[in-house]
Amino acid sequence: MDKTKILIIEDETAIADLLAYGLTREGFLTRIASNGAEGIEALGQFNPDLLLLDWMLPDLSGLELCKRVTADSNIPIVMITAKSDITDKILGLEFGADDYITKPFDLREVIARIRTILRRLANANRSEEAEEEQPLRFHDVVIIKSERMVRKGDELIDLTPKEFDLLIKLCGNRGRIFSREELLELVWGYEYAGETRTVDNHIQRLRKKLDANEYITTVFGIGYKFEKGTT
């Protein structure tokens, strides 16, 4: 099993070395960066699973770096800083940090918090995988998302990729009303240049292929929804 990788961005050598030593003893793979520029470079090269980030760096504030990292990735971040004011703590969390530890700290607490975050992340990933594996059903239709396959009774239904994506979006959010513009954005993407009429055409084909008129309903003046009470 690959070791969990932790990037330490800390300009105080003694603290960085202490963290690296303790985490290495616990079985983690670590790398140290002494400033923001090195940290940004290490993020791409090292590809860490978690980031320990000092608030006060010589070239770039940890808060700004936190903001940059969370804008581009889902790497969990633990802020480590001498700032103990609750306002600073809230600010760090609002910028995307997952936890906040003040100096001086007990290394055992740092390790415990890291393990808690990693455990929570692993549980969340397992839940997403389980949800992905769980088929969607209504009447005699079964939708297997992981295989992009739809069956109606014993018959395999041939859907185009966009028809399948549209069906998943509607059936996976039963009762929610989607406007045509929302569906264009969610299924076709921001850059799609077509008109909303294409949504109507795909809905018509889905209804016909799946005999789903009573399931995929029109909300006049707005768009479409998948009826919540279907099974």
Side-chain angles (χ1 to χ4, degrees), residues 6-7 40-41 43 60 91 105 111 154 171 206 213 227:
I6 298 179
L7 175 60
I40 291 172
E41 184 178 0
L43 280 166
L60 180 69
L91 189 60
F105 54 78
I111 293 170
D154 295 327
C171 188
L206 279 177
N213 286 332
E227 290 299 331

Side-chain angles (χ1 to χ4, degrees), residues 85-99:
D85 187 88
I86 187 63
T87 303
D88 293 321
K89 180 175 182 178
I90 292 171
L91 189 60
L93 296 174
E94 287 182 346
F95 271 66
D98 294 85
D99 206 346

Side-chain angles (χ1 to χ4, degrees), residues 8 16 27 56 78-80 84 91 101 109 122 129 134 141 155 177 187 199:
I8 303 163
M56 302 295 291
V78 178
M79 298 286 292
I80 298 181
S84 58
L91 189 60
I101 296 175
E109 180 185 5
E129 290 172 1
Q134 189 69 26
V141 174
E155 181 186 0
I177 300 172
V187 176
V199 176

